[in-house]
Amino acid sequence: MKQRIRKAVFPVAGLGTRILPATKAIPKEMLPCLDKPLIQHAVDEARAAGIEQFIFVTSKGKTVLEDHFDINQDLNKTLEAKSKHKALQLVKDSELPAGSLFFTRQAVPLGLGHAVWCARHLVGNEPFAVLLPDDIVLSETPCLKQMTDVYGELGGNIVSVMEVPRSQTNKYGILDVGKESQGGVVEIKGLIEKPEPEKAPSCLSIIGRYILQPEIFTHLNTQSAGSGGEIQLTDSMAKLIGTQPFHGFRFKGTRYDCGDRIGFITANLAFALRDEKIAEEVRANVKELLEI
Ligand code: G1P
């Protein structure tokens, strides 16, 4: 029996330097994609996959993330008194059950591997998910749910993957690909963080969705700095290969990197065009802009 994935880690300590000055005083995870902040997209995706415990790895200036998932009694009372039922429901949808949200800090920005390691005591000795809220996935079935379904069959470690242009391999963790089976599952022979295009073993890149076994912490405990001088999650994952099942999964959907201006704008447009209340008007506006 595979142990159910109950916990998810959300590394949210980053500075958001690619979207300054928007992120000078607010965390990048609070930027909206349509009407929900990026972090809520990630938390909602985790909830849809059955996650019950939400572990945020934060840093200075991120307390608004705690407030967002809290109950805002004043706001709720005001909306109720004014009979703004739809608005009240939207606010209530952002609340998390009492005692399900946990915080730890990454005091020094030493890299993604270090951020995940900071959550080790909260995760304990069980498999867990990691969601990077910069990455938003537009899909029929939420990406992490697709992954937990595959996990139910295969167990072990699973990362969601997608093809990228060879010129961009130095922006991602890249797979050395083994056998591919039906359903978009690929065996992983090796993993390398941000290789230059000429050194990349493939163009299959990791997106910010992981299911990991707790043994990852054994490697993170002793991990030294890798690509970019940071402690990389990819380097510790690479050490698990051969000791545990490790698969890449070609998720069904489109991933947007919302930590980047182009990805952020494109994600907003894509979500708007999927929203039946506003799609038609947005489409007309975009068309008009393109004709100018
Ligand atoms: C991180 C990971 C990288 C992964 C990427 C997905 O990189 O280190 O392996 O491909 O997220 O978004 P970052 O974007 O934090 O530099």
Side-chain angles (χ1 to χ4, degrees):
M1 255 282 280
K2 280 114 206 159
Q3 208 176 338
R4 201 164 69 79
I5 311 292
R6 305 183 305 146
K7 301 184 180 184
V9 174
F10 301 82
V12 289
L15 287 176
T17 49
R18 289 183 291 163
I19 305 207
L20 279 168
T23 52
K24 184 180 164 195
I26 56 159
K28 64 174 172 175
E29 297 81 9
M30 286 306 293
L31 295 176
C33 179
L34 211 50
D35 35 22
K36 283 196 297 190
L38 299 178
I39 186 65
Q40 196 183 331
H41 281 278
V43 163
D44 286 350
E45 184 183 324
R47 284 202 265 198
I51 298 294
E52 293 164 357
Q53 297 184 30
F54 307 83
I55 302 166
F56 285 16
V57 183
T58 71
S59 61
K60 192 169 174 288
K62 301 273 184 168
T63 45
V64 66
L65 292 172
E66 305 188 21
D67 294 339
H68 182 74
F69 293 99
D70 209 349
I71 298 177
N72 184 336
Q73 302 276 18
D74 293 342
L75 178 59
N76 289 4
K77 275 187 201 143
T78 307
L79 292 173
E80 209 160 340
K82 288 180 184 286
S83 295
K84 300 223 178 232
H85 304 300
K86 277 192 189 145
L88 180 61
Q89 192 52 52
L90 289 173
V91 173
K92 282 186 173 292
D93 288 346
S94 68
E95 296 166 358
L96 284 173
S100 63
L101 192 49
F102 302 84
F103 300 92
T104 184
R105 279 208 176 197
Q106 184 190 30
V108 190
L110 293 178
L112 178 61
H114 180 259
V116 171
W117 179 77
C118 288
R120 65 200 179 282
H121 296 305
L122 294 169
V123 171
N125 189 29
E126 61 181 280
F128 63 104
V130 177
L131 295 96
L132 310 187
D134 277 8
D135 280 354
I136 282 210
V137 182
L138 186 56
S139 54
E140 289 298 325
T141 306
C143 184
L144 190 65
K145 173 74 172 83
Q146 296 179 41
M147 293 173 73
T148 50
D149 287 348
V150 173
Y151 172 81
E153 307 265 313
L154 299 174
N157 304 269
I158 299 172
V159 288
S160 262
V161 296
M162 67 178 209
E163 298 282 348
V164 296
R166 183 158 281 274
S167 59
Q168 289 181 20
T169 56
N170 55 9
K171 286 169 64 181
Y172 300 98
I174 298 290
L175 273 59
D176 188 356
V177 181
K179 261 202 320 231
E180 176 145 7
S181 40
Q182 275 191 345
V185 173
V186 295
E187 248 174 50
I188 300 184
K189 287 197 297 185
L191 285 169
I192 170 160
E193 180 70 7
K194 303 196 171 86
E196 288 307 321
E198 62 278 10
K199 294 206 175 120
S202 79
C203 293
L204 207 50
S205 84
I206 303 170
I207 70 152
R209 298 291 183 275
Y210 309 76
I211 288 176
L212 297 171
Q213 297 297 319
E215 285 75 18
I216 189 81
F217 293 119
T218 319
H219 299 295
L220 287 172
N221 280 338
T222 54
Q223 185 73 58
S224 50
S227 168
E230 297 191 340
I231 296 175
Q232 297 292 353
L233 184 59
T234 304
D235 294 343
S236 279
M237 293 194 303
K239 292 189 183 132
L240 289 178
I241 298 166
T243 67
Q244 298 180 339
F246 212 129
H247 293 95
F249 169 60
R250 294 181 194 265
F251 65 99
K252 290 192 184 68
T254 310
R255 169 260 191 190
Y256 300 95
D257 175 7
C258 292
D260 169 86
R261 291 194 307 166
I262 293 176
F264 178 71
I265 291 296
T266 314
N268 269 284
L269 269 177
F271 275 74
L273 292 169
R274 285 274 295 251
D275 183 318
E276 56 185 33
K277 286 206 202 86
I278 58 170
E280 207 176 310
E281 215 170 312
V282 172
R283 188 169 292 114
N285 290 352
V286 171
K287 218 171 144 220
E288 198 180 307
L289 283 171
L290 291 173
E291 278 161 8
I292 289 168

